[in-house]
Amino acid sequence: MKDTKIIELLNEMTIDEKIGQMVQVAGDIFLSDNIDVSTGPLKNLELSNEMLYNVGSVLNIIGAERVRKVQDEYLSKNRLKIPLLFMDDIINGYKIAFPIPIAQGCSWNTEVIKTIARISAVESNIAGANVNFSPMVDLSRDARWGRVMESVGGEDPLLGAIYARATVEAYQGKDISKLGNVASCVKHIAAYGAVEGGRDYNTVDMSEREFRQYYLPAYKSAIEANAELIMTSFNILNGIPATVNKALIQNLIRKELNFKGLIISDYGAIEETIAHGVSKDEKEAALKAIEAGVDIDMMSKIYANFLKELCLENKEIENKVNESVLRILKLKNRLGLFENPYGNSDVKKEKIYLMNEQNLKKAKELTQETFVLLKNKNNILPFNKNKNIALIGPYIDNIAITGSWCMFSDKSKCTTILDAFKKKVDNEKLFYAKGSEILRQDEINSILKADGLPTINIKNESEEEERLIEEAKDIAKKSDVILLALGEHYKQSGEACSRSNISLPENQIRLINELNKLHIPMVMILFNGRPLQLNNIEDKLDGILEVWFPGTMGAEAITEMILGEVNPSGKLTMSFPQNVGQCPIYYNHYNTGRPHIDDLRYVSRYQDIPTESFYPFGFGLSYCNFKYKSLKLDKKEIKKNDIITATLEIENQSNNEGYEVIQLYIQDLYASVVRPVKELKEFKKVYFKPNETKIVEFKINVEMLKFWNENLHYKAEEGDFKVFIGSDSVNTLEDTFVYYD
Ligand code: NOJ
């Protein structure tokens, strides 16, 4: 449809119809037996039945048939036949569950990120999705926050920015109306990852410099990649909830970053400004949100019930409503919905494309790039197939490994580690015992209760725990090695999953301690959505393979890696703390005036634990043994527009082939403001043949030296710099150079 037609359409709309476009509801109402909003599932929203058939978009309705049904029902009663927009939480895949976002980031490979986003876009688009609520690019430093699992860049602004762009471009393609493309909604703006104490929905208060340096780059990069939508975050940012924060939305997002797309609130967030205590009532909440520039109210009654009154009182507000509606109609138009309200949903194509063999195969390879080998004492891994192997743990025979956000995935192709091993090794040499439940029942019950689900009756739990351990010990005794599959429950990470205890569950720690008494080499495969505290179990394990929540192909991917058919190459994107007391912990921190020196009292340190992380940012082992040497800079001075070439030699001292992620960090040694001890500036993932030595080259330019200076200008300052190149943020070679303006 031509833009002029869109304007004509806007002019034809009543104020109620316009406001409806700015309201988003849960789409299943249109499939429900009770579609009456005064008694049905949307009762709390207090919408009128008339408003229901004016709403502009729905969330989390997907599946070509369902989408078509909902659209038909809606259009049958919508006066101007303006199609609904379908927005969905496709976080780590639709039918194929891919590794959770934090895991994807650990690949340090944009091709992995892009391919996952592409397959997810095509799968969800032919199932009717127009918009994906992804990527989530909130910088995450605090493992207590359950949503770190959704953060693709972890604690690093550069990774966040690179991944944000890659995802948005892969989702949207060149034309969002084309088959297989969806509009991308980047979230959550802003600084949601910095909630105090890691407690979800909590307060964020930070300096502008801190915000610009660390948190903004990923959002900015998504905007520059033309993300069609932005979702505001639940938190307060510097005293004002993000959703009604004019400085954030008007000044930064709209004016400075020139964002032209749609801004949608998070679920109920406009109404929550009343609980925050910045809106005295619903009407004021509506006023603040529209004045700030929120185009769509997700799942609250505020816009639906209070915008009209505001429009009648104030022409300015009506103008703002017109602007928002125009943006919404234009997005629908760019998606081609006026010509075809069903979008690219297609039942026949679903049958052919969803979960197809080629994508499943690809998914397995992509998944393998996300695993991080954290420990491999005496090269215990890979396992020799001829050994007797004890498979123990609640995740050995379990397919609940897709993570808490993969709501629509098809579990039929998900296999278990047990079955995958049975296919690969002599079954006579394989022994299995569950060993423990994931959680004790009271812990599960408290989660179920909070979800409003029926709880489980607790009976004879300690006897059962004992029995499971004994059974595990019995089979372990017949084995040469033990492979443990342990971890968090998938409901322990994700939204509203903040935790003050980030150790493995108690019953699993007991299992490790009991098995440890047998003195049989033990490797743990770790399933989790956040960095865990491992210092209480690490010394009992010979190997640790971090697999996060790996998704549909997880079990097969793990089995191949444990048996040495593929080599681990992932690196951490979040530091693992010594214990929870260190959170938030991140590699790119500032120096204090009293940097840590061992055995000195009045320095910045803990009395009871080391200062550094347990596993640093960027860390990850391989079945290869990489030696870094001979770092050289071609010159020691850099001027504007200059480039320094850094070269180093890396030798693969092993008979295995594999990939290594080589990381370049820079430190500005003195400046007008305190600078981080190290900042990632570039990385390369390089393939090595067995015993191969390669010369690797990096270019250092002045852009890499810029920061938000004393006057909040983004500039490089003259002076001395250090460059570090290494296999992680701690193990590096280093040199220095000088920058002259
Ligand atoms: C709340 C979450 O914060 C957000 O990430 C998600 O996209 C929306 N709900 C919609 O489900």
Side-chain angles (χ1 to χ4, degrees), residues 59-60 89 133 147 187-188 231 234 266-267 298 405 495:
L59 82 149
N60 288 338
D89 281 299
F133 289 135
R147 302 199 76 168
K187 65 191 189 184
H188 310 81
M231 189 188 294
F234 287 122
D266 203 343
Y267 202 105
M298 184 199 295
W405 272 109
E495 187 178 344

Side-chain angles (χ1 to χ4, degrees), residues 97 364 367 371 401 414-415 417 527 550-559:
K364 185 175 73 185
T367 304
F371 297 165
I401 55 172
C414 225
T415 154
I417 296 178
F527 293 84
T552 311
M553 299 308 286
E556 288 177 44
I558 290 166
T559 305

Side-chain angles (χ1 to χ4, degrees), residues 440-452 455 499:
R440 289 190 177 134
Q441 283 179 1
D442 57 336
E443 292 166 294
I444 299 219
N445 278 347
S446 79
I447 295 173
L448 293 174
K449 209 166 142 204
D451 276 348
T455 52
R499 295 187 57 78

